[in-house]
Amino acid sequence: MSSESQPNASPHDAVKRSRFTHRQLHLLRQGSTATPLRAIAHIDLDAFYAQCEMVRLGTPRDRPLAVQQWGSLIAVNYAARPFGVTRMITAPEARKACPNIVLQHVATFREGEGGKWAYRDDSSMNISTDKVSLDPYRAESRKILKTMKEALEQWCTTESDGDTYHYTQGLSAALEKASIDEVFIDLSPLVYSVLLQRYPELRPGLQEENRDVELPPPPTTAVQWHPEDCLVDLDLHEREEDDPDWDDIVMLVGSEIVRTVRQAVWDVLHYTCSAGLARNKMLAKLGSACNKPDKQTVVRNRAVQHFLGGYRFTQIRMLGGKLGDQITSFFGTEKVSELLNVPLEQLRAKLDDHTASWLYGIIRGEDRSEVNPRTQIKSMLSAKSFRPSINTLEQAEKWLHIFAADIYGRLVEDGVLENRRRPKVITLHHRTAQTRSRQIPIPASNIIDENLLFELARTLMRQVMTDGQPWPCSNLSLSVSSFEDGVTKNKAIEGFLVRGDQAKHLNQNSRPRDSLPTLSESIPMGKKRKLEDDGIKRFFGQPARTDRTVGGPDFPSPHNSEVSGDLVPPAQVSEIVDESSAIPQYKCDRCSRSICELEREEHEDWHFAKDLEIQDRQEARDMQHQPSNPNPNASRGSASTRGRGARGGRGKPERGQMRLAF
DNA sequence: TCTTTGGCC
DNA sequence: GGGGCCAAAGA
């Protein structure tokens, strides 16, 4: 982005301006990946499993503790590390290095004791009959996520004057659970909201104003960082004495928000965590690991080059594996600083175009991957390695019982009993010399219980045995996947929301309320889920305001809403119809929609932002492809996934913008 | 549908 | 370094 590399306005300028434009600020509002003002946090629990045990057992923070799995350690708390205890060493070695250490074995299931896990004194000696359970950690993870969400919500409910409210209401932060102990948070909309409250000069001006004009400079000459913020040193040509620009202020506000989130996790649940804050996920993730434990690290835009230059690129997300090794051998270095000297053309010569341009950008600190607001789990797996290998069907079936019980218990937590969600596929993995797997559908007619899972697993096991040489078997695992929403949940949703096509046909269509599925068969399952998650989240996160029913050019018309999976609240629909004659309307010349006059400004803002995103996305497509976008359809206000061209019908509405069903 | 890869504690 | 996960791409 050229604006990022421009120096600050020089002192002789008559009127100092920011390097950033109104357009770039405005893109924060919908969490666009295109703006250099973006604020992304990565939060990582410190030695998570160890902390879980410290909390559960009530041990003091300075008491060394490690979590044991059979003879080895899988997590070591910070109090134990000065003694040389690491995950590499065995439990007896840890005891020797640190006699005072608490060595807590993970909870286990035990053969013949049903589906209940327990903490047992003798589990380390019972590797042949026990199977580890990570359930206690999953439960803590859920609590932590909930606490973080609640802390973030504090920043959404703003008591500001009506003008600011107009621009900031309904904004919230996207939270992506990256693993059992890590989350990404897109703070951009919250930061935008705070900026507009604290700096009225940033509020969108008159309609005529050119959004390419630079913002006024921040009204401060020095940023007051919190004493506990760890700041990455600035790039060589930057100086701390230089006046801050809005990207510095964005990081300041972001770090304030992150601090309250971390504080809430400590106050409520007594867990410490470390955070990284930067303009994108890649930098935030590297940042969170810089100062552990219990610290937060801020990577300002002006520090990115210096920060990344010190890394090996193999430490960057997606480059830790074979791709990173390949690149290392092609170019003879692991250092980011040296790879920076390789021109794009040379990268292209060795790597495919997508990967080459992604790599070129990523080592320069550019990463436009989105924070994917995903909370629900997509599969569940229960596994066991056998040393020595097992050799009979009887032995295998004992483990299948335990797997079935384990997974069933987790499904219950997930809501199978209430029919909220249910998996459609069950898979058995089996390892001898090679790994083989077989999968079958879970019959939709059956109620899922432990026994059904076991019988399906046994069927798969028999298939595996007739396939080839089943023994000796060194590893077995059972998993369920392809989750689908169940009857009860859809019923509940239908009370509030109907899809566009359903709204259209609501009165003609006598389809039974409890029949399934409600989503169009034309959409692959994975996409359906995301669309639905988002639709629901957005709807409930949005205060009901009938005058917010604005739309844009890419809002599918009724005929293609059929495949969009988008959701429309019926109450809204009827209210709109009722009120449309009473409220002054104007017809938007961009999209030919009738918009209520009160919403005119916002609607036009919306078109403006939309245009920018389209433009920007096009640049991004040309310039910067990721080698493997982990989730091309997950979106949060990005134009790439919204309806145009071949994928035109797949779009979903912008936050807070409801589609008319007619 | 099945296998492989990556990432993490 | 390996057991036990989870997600997604590749084939």
Side-chain angles (χ1 to χ4, degrees):
Chain A
M1 204 148 311
S2 62
S3 60
E4 285 171 43
S5 52
Q6 286 167 12
N8 283 333
S10 46
H12 62 262
D13 283 351
V15 183
K16 270 176 132 185
R17 305 298 296 185
S18 166
R19 283 149 58 223
F20 301 103
T21 62
H22 280 93
R23 139 187 327 204
Q24 290 170 328
L25 174 69
H26 206 80
L27 286 174
L28 276 186
R29 191 173 186 279
Q30 49 262 32
S32 164
T33 63
T35 168
L37 291 172
R38 209 150 78 107
I40 308 293
H42 179 259
I43 305 184
D44 191 324
L45 276 290
D46 302 316
F48 181 51
Y49 293 178
Q51 275 205 86
C52 288
E53 298 303 341
M54 292 162 67
V55 167
R56 186 178 68 86
L57 299 169
T59 60
R61 283 185 80 186
D62 55 1
R63 178 82 191 270
L65 179 148
V67 180
Q68 187 180 343
Q69 176 176 288
W70 317 132
S72 50
L73 306 182
I74 56 171
V76 177
N77 77 354
Y78 282 84
R81 295 187 188 193
F83 295 88
V85 181
T86 70
R87 293 202 319 190
M88 303 292 145
I89 70 176
T90 65
E93 286 165 348
R95 171 73 65 206
K96 196 175 161 198
C98 180
N100 190 34
I101 196 170
V102 176
L103 293 175
Q104 175 61 52
H105 199 278
V106 294
T108 59
F109 298 101
R110 180 162 294 178
E111 200 181 299
E113 294 192 11
K116 289 208 212 99
W117 54 260
Y119 283 96
R120 309 168 202 271
D121 295 336
D122 58 349
S123 39
S124 68
M125 286 107 74
N126 288 277
I127 185 165
S128 60
T129 55
D130 286 15
K131 168 178 159 33
V132 311
S133 171
L134 301 181
D135 269 3
Y137 309 136
R138 293 191 190 98
E140 292 303 286
S141 177
R142 280 194 290 270
K143 284 194 222 165
I144 291 165
L145 209 68
K146 179 165 175 279
T147 303
M148 288 181 173
K149 279 182 180 163
E150 285 165 0
L152 287 167
E153 275 161 21
Q154 301 294 310
W155 290 87
C156 303
T157 55
T158 57
E159 295 152 24
S160 49
D161 61 83
D163 195 28
T164 312
Y165 181 82
H166 177 81
Y167 293 110
T168 63
Q169 57 96 17
L171 298 184
S172 64
L175 199 151
E176 172 180 332
K177 180 173 179 171
S179 78
I180 196 166
D181 75 327
E182 276 176 71
V183 295
F184 286 102
I185 307 172
D186 189 343
L187 299 168
S188 304
L190 295 187
V191 170
Y192 176 85
S193 167
V194 171
L195 287 179
L196 258 60
Q197 287 166 55
R198 294 188 186 167
Y199 305 97
E201 67 267 34
L202 294 180
R203 295 176 192 177
L206 297 172
Q207 203 55 45
E208 298 75 24
E209 187 175 356
N210 177 4
R211 294 304 178 88
D212 282 323
V213 85
E214 288 89 0
L215 296 163
T220 46
T221 53
V223 176
Q224 270 299 316
W225 293 96
H226 190 278
E228 287 171 28
D229 282 339
C230 303
L231 296 180
V232 172
D233 288 343
L234 294 176
D235 297 343
L236 291 177
H237 58 280
E238 299 280 352
R239 295 178 313 150
E240 291 289 351
E241 306 83 67
D242 291 340
D243 284 350
D245 202 339
W246 288 109
D247 56 345
D248 299 306
I249 310 294
V250 163
M251 288 296 140
L252 182 70
V253 173
S255 93
E256 193 180 331
I257 297 172
V258 169
R259 195 160 38 247
T260 65
V261 171
R262 293 175 49 236
Q263 189 67 45
V265 171
W266 172 257
D267 290 344
V268 178
L269 301 168
H270 280 76
Y271 287 90
T272 68
C273 50
S274 303
L277 183 63
R279 67 163 178 243
N280 61 45
K281 286 170 80 171
M282 183 267 299
L283 293 168
K285 164 104 189 167
L286 289 176
S288 69
C290 285
N291 295 282
K292 278 179 148 281
D294 202 20
K295 290 280 190 312
Q296 59 189 59
T297 303
V298 182
V299 187
R300 291 165 291 179
N301 283 351
R302 291 188 291 148
V304 166
Q305 295 311 320
H306 178 256
F307 179 64
L308 271 182
Y311 278 93
R312 296 189 304 276
F313 56 77
T314 48
Q315 295 172 268
I316 295 175
R317 223 163 53 115
M318 313 299 303
L319 294 175
K322 296 196 168 181
L323 177 57
D325 290 346
Q326 267 189 326
I327 296 168
T328 304
S329 66
F330 285 150
F331 303 102
T333 179
E334 285 196 37
K335 290 183 184 166
V336 169
S337 54
E338 290 181 13
L339 200 62
L340 283 172
N341 299 323
V342 180
L344 180 57
E345 283 316 308
Q346 281 182 39
L347 297 182
R348 284 231 172 90
K350 297 284 189 186
L351 305 162
D352 69 74
D353 279 13
H354 280 21
T355 311
S357 28
W358 174 79
L359 178 63
Y360 186 85
I362 210 81
I363 60 175
R364 286 164 176 78
E366 286 166 29
D367 167 23
R368 288 186 177 180
S369 59
E370 306 187 7
V371 173
N372 172 5
R374 165 173 53 73
T375 326
Q376 303 263 35
I377 208 152
K378 295 186 174 173
S379 69
M380 288 178 190
L381 177 146
S382 186
K384 174 76 180 176
S385 296
F386 306 115
R387 285 187 320 187
S389 298
I390 59 170
N391 289 291
T392 69
L393 181 60
E394 282 77 13
Q395 284 176 301
E397 286 187 348
K398 275 195 283 195
W399 290 105
L400 296 184
H401 265 124
I402 290 179
F403 295 161
D406 178 9
I407 289 174
Y408 179 66
R410 286 154 64 184
L411 285 172
V412 168
E413 293 272 312
D414 200 54
V416 264
L417 290 187
E418 303 82 25
N419 253 325
R420 278 208 303 272
R421 269 155 55 83
R422 89 180 248 145
K424 285 192 305 188
V425 177
I426 184 165
T427 308
L428 183 76
H429 286 255
H430 170 273
R431 187 162 79 211
T432 50
Q434 309 144 349
T435 304
R436 292 264 170 271
S437 71
R438 303 282 308 214
Q439 54 186 302
I440 49 175
I442 299 172
S445 51
N446 295 47
I447 290 179
I448 294 183
D449 60 14
E450 218 174 303
N451 202 47
L452 175 66
L453 294 176
F454 173 72
E455 289 302 333
L456 291 170
R458 203 154 66 128
T459 304
L460 289 166
M461 190 69 213
R462 282 195 296 260
Q463 288 185 16
V464 164
M465 289 177 63
T466 56
D467 279 352
Q469 301 301 320
W471 318 117
C473 169
S474 62
N475 182 284
L476 265 186
S477 73
L478 186 69
S479 59
V480 294
S481 55
S482 297
F483 278 79
E484 181 176 67
D485 283 341
V487 174
T488 306
K489 187 178 179 189
N490 271 346
K491 263 179 159 171
I493 290 165
E494 283 179 10
F496 296 99
L497 303 166
V498 281
R499 291 178 54 241
D501 53 339
Q502 290 174 331
K504 191 171 55 180
H505 296 119
L506 202 56
N507 293 325
Q508 302 103 294
N509 195 342
S510 58
R511 204 171 133 281
R513 299 284 288 177
D514 55 356
S515 72
L516 279 177
T518 58
L519 291 165
S520 162
E521 294 301 330
S522 61
I523 310 175
M525 187 53 207
K527 292 173 185 172
K528 275 195 273 189
R529 255 239 62 77
K530 266 172 217 114
L531 291 168
E532 196 176 39
D533 277 353
D534 267 26
I536 294 162
K537 203 167 295 167
R538 280 157 200 242
F539 176 62
F540 286 115
Q542 178 65 40
R545 271 182 66 191
T546 53
D547 60 352
R548 266 189 75 80
T549 52
V550 293
D554 59 351
F555 272 36
S557 51
H559 72 272
N560 61 12
S561 71
E562 174 112 15
V563 292
S564 74
D566 281 323
L567 299 159
V568 174
Q572 296 275 84
V573 172
S574 57
E575 275 178 276
I576 292 152
V577 173
D578 290 342
E579 294 179 14
S580 59
S581 54
I583 293 176
Q585 306 271 313
Y586 85 102
K587 189 171 177 184
C588 173
D589 55 4
R590 294 290 306 278
C591 60
S592 304
R593 280 180 188 280
S594 286
I595 306 297
C596 116
E597 194 60 49
L598 294 171
E599 286 302 320
R600 181 181 200 131
E601 190 182 351
E602 183 161 6
H603 180 75
E604 287 172 356
D605 274 357
W606 185 89
H607 272 302
F608 185 84
K610 206 79 263 158
D611 292 346
L612 292 183
E613 281 194 44
I614 293 164
Q615 184 185 325
D616 204 90
R617 269 290 157 182
Q618 190 55 53
E619 285 166 25
R621 261 195 294 276
D622 299 343
M623 278 272 317
Q624 191 181 10
H625 288 289
Q626 296 190 29
S628 54
N629 186 340
N631 206 340
N633 277 304
S635 95
R636 196 189 140 61
S638 100
S640 68
T641 55
R642 222 164 295 121
R644 252 172 302 274
R647 304 195 314 177
R650 299 272 168 86
K652 52 189 170 181
E654 199 57 75
R655 151 199 312 296
Q657 293 171 332
M658 302 301 179
R659 174 178 316 156
L660 293 170
F662 303 96

